Amino acid sequence: MNNKQTSKSIASLASEVLRNPNSSTIQKTLAGSALSQVNKGNQTGSEMESIASKVLGSTKYNEDTKSLAGSIVSQSDKKR
């Protein structure tokens, strides 16, 4: 079980992304993952961790998308 949880600011950002019809698929995927880790002790899966890592390493994503990705990576299994 993961003792880290999505912060209130990231949860709020994720909620905004999911409500915005102009959000990209990757933004919505990251937002959904971030919200799934609010107060639940869920841990990022390896596939989601890989997606978030690619986002963080790319220059084509905006700050909000990278913030969501960073939250997801920070909640991943440190043994991977």
Side-chain angles (χ1 to χ4, degrees), residues 18-36:
L18 290 173
R19 287 189 312 244
N20 184 344
N22 297 318
S23 294
S24 69
T25 300
I26 192 69
Q27 286 175 316
K28 289 184 178 189
T29 300
L30 294 168
S33 179
L35 285 177
S36 78

Side-chain angles (χ1 to χ4, degrees), residues 5 7 14 20 22 31 39-40 42 46 50 54 64 69 73:
Q5 296 177 4
S7 69
N20 184 344
N22 297 318
N39 297 325
K40 294 187 180 87
N42 292 344
S46 60
S50 177
K54 287 177 185 170
D64 287 346
V73 168

Side-chain angles (χ1 to χ4, degrees), residues 29-60:
T29 300
L30 294 168
S33 179
L35 285 177
S36 78
Q37 296 175 26
V38 175
N39 297 325
K40 294 187 180 87
N42 292 344
Q43 186 168 299
T44 302
S46 60
E47 184 179 345
M48 199 67 232
E49 181 182 352
S50 177
I51 291 168
S53 292
K54 287 177 185 170
V55 167
L56 290 172
S58 174
T59 58
K60 76 176 191 175

Side-chain angles (χ1 to χ4, degrees), residues 57-76:
S58 174
T59 58
K60 76 176 191 175
Y61 297 103
N62 67 23
E63 185 178 327
D64 287 346
T65 306
K66 288 192 173 199
S67 292
L68 291 168
S71 174
I72 290 163
V73 168
S74 75
Q75 296 178 63
S76 64

